C-alpha cells in the first residue's frame, strides 16, 4: 500500500496539484489525554471513567474528517496520590497515546486511590512534555483534567502550563468534582478559559444506573464470537488476547457498551492481532515464522495462511455488522426508557461527549 501511495503522490506532483504530504499519507487524528485525580475522595470519578470509557468512544464512532474515520489515540495519567513519587509531582503516566483501548481500560482498573497533593499545573505540564502529540495542524488535540482540589496547588504554575497548551493548539477542558458553589472551583474555570477549552462540574459520586434491554444477551454472545476472530501473534499475542478477555469481564453489565466500541473502526489491536497488524502493514505474513504464529497456523503454506487470515477478517466484519445492528436497537430501547426519567446531573461521559462534539466540529470534523 505504501508503494501505491508513493506512486499516487508522485503522480499528483507531476500533474501540478498542490497536495501536502500529510494530506496524502495520513488520516486525521484525534488525541485525547485524560488526567484523573486519584486521591482518596475520587473513587467515584475513577469508577465513572472505567464504566463510561466505552460510551465516550461510542459517541465518536460517527466522526469523519475529509470523508474518512480518523485515528483515535488515548493517553492516561493519574495524579494527587501519595503512592506516587513526591519528586515527580505525585503523578504518573499510565499509558502514552495508544489506539489500543483495551490497554487504556486495563490501566484504569489498575488505579488505587490514596490521599496526596494534587498538582494540576504539574500534571498538565508533564502531559505536554511526555506525550507524543501530533504536530499536524488539522489534527485534534485535547486534555481533560478532573479533580476536586484547588487548581493552583504545587510548584508548577497552572497558568504557564495551560497557556503553553493553548499556544500549541492543545485544548484544556477542566472538570471540577465538587460543590458547584465552592471557591476552589474558581481556578478550574479560569484554567479552561485560558486553555481555550470548556469547564464542567459533575457529581463524581453518582452511580450511573444500567438499563437492561432485550438485546443484551445476544450482544454478549456475539461479542464472545467476535473475540474468536482475533489471531494472536508474536510475543504480545497471548498477553493481548488475555487482556481482551479480562476487559470484557471488567465491563460487567456494560459489555453492551463495550461491544459497540469493539464493533467500531476505533477498536484496533495491531500489536497482538494478526488481522489488524496486516491491515496496518505492521508485519509481512511471509516473514513470520511458525514460532510467531498460533498453533492453528503452524505448518501452513503461505497461501493457506493468507486464506486463514482472510476468513477471520471476513467473519469479523460480519459479526461487527450484527453487533452494530443490535447495539442500535439497544440504544433506541434505552432512549425510550430514559426519555421521561432524566436525572439531571452531569457525569464524566456526558460532559466529555458534550465538549468533544462541539470542539471537534469547530476543528472541521463532522458527525454523520
Amino acid at each position: 500500500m505504501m508503494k501505491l501511495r508513493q506512486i499516487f503522490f508522485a503522480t499528483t506532483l507531476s500533474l501540478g496539484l498542490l497536495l501536502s504530504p500529510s494530506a496524502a499519507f495520513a488520516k486525521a487524528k484525534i488525541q485525547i489525554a485524560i488526567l484523573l485525580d486519584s486521591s482518596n475522595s475520587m473513587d467515584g470519578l475513577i469508577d465513572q471513567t472505567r464504566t463510561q470509557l466505552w460510551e465516550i468512544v461510542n459517541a465518536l464512532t460517527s466522526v469523519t474528517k475529509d470523508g474518512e474515520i480518523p485515528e483515535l489515540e488515548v493517553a492516561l495519567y493519574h495524579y494527587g496520590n501519595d503512592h506516587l513519587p513526591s519528586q515527580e509531582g505525585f503523578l504518573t503516566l499510565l499509558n502514552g497515546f495508544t489506539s489500543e483501548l483495551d490497554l487504556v481500560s486495563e490501566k484504569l482498573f489498575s488505579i488505587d486511590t490514596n490521599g496526596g497533593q494534587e498538582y494540576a499545573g504539574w500534571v498538565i505540564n508533564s502531559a505536554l512534555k511526555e506525550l507524543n502529540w501530533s504536530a499536524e495542524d488539522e489534527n485534534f488535540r485535547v486534555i481533560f483534567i478532573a479533580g476536586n482540589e484547588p487548581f493552583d496547588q504545587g510548584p508548577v504554575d497552572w497558568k504557564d502550563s495551560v497557556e503553553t497548551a493553548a499556544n500549541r493548539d492543545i485544548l484544556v477542558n477542566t472538570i471540577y468534582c465538587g460543590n458547584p458553589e465552592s471557591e476552589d472551583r474558581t481556578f478550574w474555570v479560569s484554567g479552561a478559559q485560558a486553555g481555550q477549552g470548556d469547564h464542567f462540574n459533575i457529581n463524581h459520586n453518582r452511580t450511573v444506573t444500567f438499563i437492561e434491554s432485550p438485546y443484551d444477551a445476544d450482544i454478549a454472545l456475539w461479542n464472545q464470537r467476535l473475540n474468536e476472530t482475533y489471531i494472536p501473534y508474536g510475543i504480545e499475542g497471548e498477553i493481548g488476547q488475555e487482556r481482551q478477555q479480562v476487559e470484557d469481564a471488567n465491563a460487567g453489565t456494560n459489555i453492551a457498551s463495550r461491544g459497540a466500541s469493539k464493533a467500531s473502526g476505533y477498536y484496533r489491536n495491531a500489536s497482538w492481532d494478526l488481522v489488524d497488524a496486516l491491515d496496518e502493514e505492521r508485519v509481512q505474513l511471509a516473514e513470520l515464522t511458525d514460532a510467531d504464529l498460533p498453533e492453528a497456523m503452524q505448518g501452513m503454506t503461505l497461501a493457506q495462511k493468507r486464506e486463514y487470515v482472510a476468513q477471520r477478517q471476513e467473519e469479523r466484519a460480519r459479526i461487527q455488522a450484527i453487533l452494530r445492528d443490535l447495539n442500535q436497537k439497544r440504544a433506541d430501547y434505552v432512549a425510550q426508557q430514559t426519555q421521561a426519567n432524566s436525572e439531571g446531573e452531569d457525569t464524566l461521559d456526558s460532559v466529555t461527549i458534550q465538549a468533544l462534539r462541539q470542539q471537534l466540529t469547530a476543528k472541521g470534523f463532522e458527525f454523520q
Side-chain angles (χ1 to χ4, degrees), residues 270-285:
S271 72
W272 65 269
D273 169 55
L274 190 55
V275 175
D276 284 345
L278 290 171
D279 186 56
E280 294 182 14
E281 298 183 340
R282 290 203 187 187
V283 296
Q284 296 295 322
L285 193 55

Side-chain angles (χ1 to χ4, degrees), residues 278-317:
L278 290 171
D279 186 56
E280 294 182 14
E281 298 183 340
R282 290 203 187 187
V283 296
Q284 296 295 322
L285 193 55
E287 297 175 0
L288 296 176
T289 67
D290 276 356
D292 298 318
L293 299 172
E295 186 175 352
M297 293 184 69
Q298 294 176 13
M300 288 182 176
T301 65
L302 182 58
Q304 289 171 330
K305 291 174 183 176
R306 286 172 174 160
E307 178 63 21
Y308 185 86
V309 173
Q311 288 174 353
R312 292 294 185 95
Q313 188 174 38
E314 182 179 351
E315 180 69 357
R316 184 179 301 178

Side-chain angles (χ1 to χ4, degrees), residues 129-367:
K129 289 183 175 180
E130 296 173 357
L131 295 178
N132 185 26
W133 295 97
S134 168
E136 301 297 331
D137 289 341
E138 69 270 16
N139 291 333
F140 178 77
R141 300 166 289 257
V142 67
I143 290 171
F144 286 88
I145 179 169
N148 70 337
E149 292 294 329
F151 198 69
D152 59 345
Q153 289 188 87
V156 178
D157 191 332
W158 67 268
K159 294 179 183 177
D160 291 340
S161 297
V162 170
E163 288 173 2
T164 299
N167 289 337
R168 293 173 57 184
D169 195 27
I170 300 171
L171 303 179
V172 178
N173 295 314
T174 65
I175 303 172
Y176 180 65
C177 309
N179 186 332
E181 306 301 324
S182 171
E183 292 184 3
D184 289 344
R185 186 182 176 189
T186 303
F187 284 133
W188 286 84
V189 175
S190 299
Q193 292 171 341
Q196 300 180 8
D198 293 315
H199 169 73
F200 302 95
N201 174 246
I202 67 170
N203 176 6
H204 62 290
N205 288 319
R206 176 184 157 194
T207 301
V208 180
T209 303
F210 173 76
I211 298 176
E212 294 184 356
S213 84
Y215 309 101
D216 296 347
D218 284 341
I219 290 172
L221 174 64
W222 284 107
N223 173 75
Q224 187 55 44
R225 291 182 179 176
L226 178 65
N227 289 353
E228 295 169 3
T229 70
Y230 287 82
I231 306 174
Y233 79 98
I235 59 174
E236 292 292 324
E238 290 186 12
I239 296 171
Q241 191 171 50
E242 181 178 355
R243 180 187 294 129
Q244 185 181 63
Q245 294 286 351
V246 169
E247 298 316 309
D248 276 359
N250 280 337
T253 55
N254 287 306
I255 191 63
S257 178
R258 175 169 159 79
S261 295
K262 289 170 70 174
S264 76
Y266 289 134
Y267 187 75
R268 307 288 292 177
N269 296 285
S271 72
W272 65 269
D273 169 55
L274 190 55
V275 175
D276 284 345
L278 290 171
D279 186 56
E280 294 182 14
E281 298 183 340
R282 290 203 187 187
V283 296
Q284 296 295 322
L285 193 55
E287 297 175 0
L288 296 176
T289 67
D290 276 356
D292 298 318
L293 299 172
E295 186 175 352
M297 293 184 69
Q298 294 176 13
M300 288 182 176
T301 65
L302 182 58
Q304 289 171 330
K305 291 174 183 176
R306 286 172 174 160
E307 178 63 21
Y308 185 86
V309 173
Q311 288 174 353
R312 292 294 185 95
Q313 188 174 38
E314 182 179 351
E315 180 69 357
R316 184 179 301 178
R318 184 181 75 86
I319 293 173
Q320 286 177 325
I322 293 171
L323 276 169
R324 286 193 292 270
D325 180 63
L326 286 169
N327 280 293
Q328 184 58 58
K329 291 176 179 177
R330 185 184 193 282
D332 293 342
Y333 177 87
V334 170
Q336 292 175 358
Q337 298 299 310
T338 59
Q339 189 171 12
N341 298 303
S342 175
E343 297 182 58
E345 286 184 307
D346 284 329
T347 53
L348 184 80
D349 64 333
S350 64
V351 299
T352 301
I353 291 168
Q354 178 183 335
L356 289 172
R357 283 187 177 276
Q358 295 173 349
Q359 293 166 1
L360 282 165
T361 300
K363 190 68 175 177
F365 291 74
E366 297 180 348
F367 284 79

